[in-house]
Amino acid sequence: QVQLVESGGGLVQAGGSLRLSCAASGGTFSSYAMGWFRQAPGKEREFVAAITWSGGSIVYAESVKGRFTISRENVKNTVYLQMNSLKPEDTAVYYCAAGGPFSVTPSLYDYWGQGTQVTVSS
């Protein structure tokens, strides 16, 4: 069974930083794209960033460009999201996802983690 487990969330002040990790297990991921999504209370799940397993293609939501960086360490089957200059509007549950297509669309991803809470205070 494929499992994705996020970690690294927490409470930070505006302007602070967090690094999220997504550890994948139970399968081979060489053909998968990896994505980060987030969902705030009462809102739709939204795209944050995605990366191909090779690292050859990366895309970010406009709202996080210049502040967030997605990366991967394939030997560890782990994907990271470095979040800098955090804003209160970044507060959400952050989810890691894996899928065959390189996409910004949640429905095209096959596997999802349980989510990790990120709270940014002002």
Side-chain angles (χ1 to χ4, degrees):
Q1 293 183 349
V2 172
Q3 281 193 294
L4 305 177
V5 180
E6 302 97 334
S7 62
L11 173 64
V12 297
Q13 292 182 321
S17 298
L18 285 173
R19 189 194 193 200
L20 306 184
S21 298
C22 173
S25 63
T28 58
F29 300 91
S30 60
S31 64
Y32 288 161
M34 304 293 293
W36 287 97
F37 295 79
R38 65 188 183 186
Q39 189 166 22
K43 295 185 177 180
E44 190 78 16
R45 187 168 298 187
E46 66 175 357
F47 170 77
V48 176
I51 185 171
T52 56
W53 200 245
S54 68
S57 297
I58 296 174
V59 65
Y60 296 97
E62 188 67 29
S63 60
V64 306
K65 284 183 178 178
R67 300 189 297 120
F68 291 11
T69 302
I70 188 171
S71 61
R72 79 283 176 272
E73 191 169 356
N74 288 355
V75 172
K76 295 182 178 181
N77 286 337
T78 301
V79 177
Y80 305 97
L81 186 68
Q82 178 67 45
M83 305 185 294
N84 298 326
S85 301
L86 283 162
K87 305 174 181 179
E89 50 262 47
D90 295 318
T91 295
V93 176
Y94 283 70
Y95 296 91
C96 177
F102 178 63
S103 176
V104 303
T105 304
S107 63
L108 296 181
Y109 286 81
D110 299 310
Y111 307 105
W112 293 84
Q114 83 289 348
T116 185
Q117 178 71 47
V118 172
T119 302
V120 184
S121 63
S122 60

